[in-house]
Amino acid sequence: MHTQADKNRLRWRSRRGLLELDLVFQPFLEHEFDSLSPAELDAYQDLLMLPDNDLLDLVDGKTETDDVRLNPLVARLRRWQVRDNE
């Protein structure tokens, strides 16, 4: 079970230098955090290690990741990016 402290810590780490990423990550965490498995949380934290521009390219679908662990999470983030643009 994830704690509120875990969520707050990830919310803080999810704040990025690019508004486009904040608009995806903030609602994603609010709605999806409780459903993330421990493996998905690890993958999410690994994604947060990427530079903002690389992360934006992944979320926008301009690039793909070679790390198969990240693919399902990137797909979920892309769905949130699409929701934001509708």
Side-chain angles (χ1 to χ4, degrees):
M1 176 118 193
H2 312 306
T3 67
Q4 185 62 39
D6 294 333
K7 187 175 186 177
N8 291 341
R9 188 173 21 265
L10 272 183
R11 184 182 296 126
W12 179 253
R13 290 195 56 221
S14 296
R15 294 202 55 182
R16 309 305 291 201
L18 297 174
L19 177 62
E20 296 90 338
L21 290 173
D22 287 342
L23 293 173
V24 172
F25 283 104
Q26 297 307 315
F28 173 80
L29 277 179
E30 286 304 312
H31 293 89
E32 302 275 341
F33 177 79
D34 292 328
S35 69
L36 294 175
S37 70
E40 289 170 322
L41 278 175
D42 287 344
Y44 185 80
Q45 291 180 57
D46 288 346
L47 276 174
L48 294 177
M49 300 300 289
L50 295 172
D52 285 352
N53 290 325
D54 294 345
L55 192 50
L56 182 60
D57 286 346
L58 273 177
V59 172
D60 281 346
K62 293 178 183 175
T63 61
E64 300 296 329
T65 178
D66 293 333
D67 189 338
V68 295
R69 296 176 318 108
L70 303 181
N71 286 329
L73 192 57
V74 169
R76 287 172 76 174
L77 286 164
R78 285 178 180 168
R79 286 192 294 273
W80 279 97
Q81 195 264 350
V82 169
R83 288 179 190 175
D84 184 57
N85 288 330
E86 292 178 347

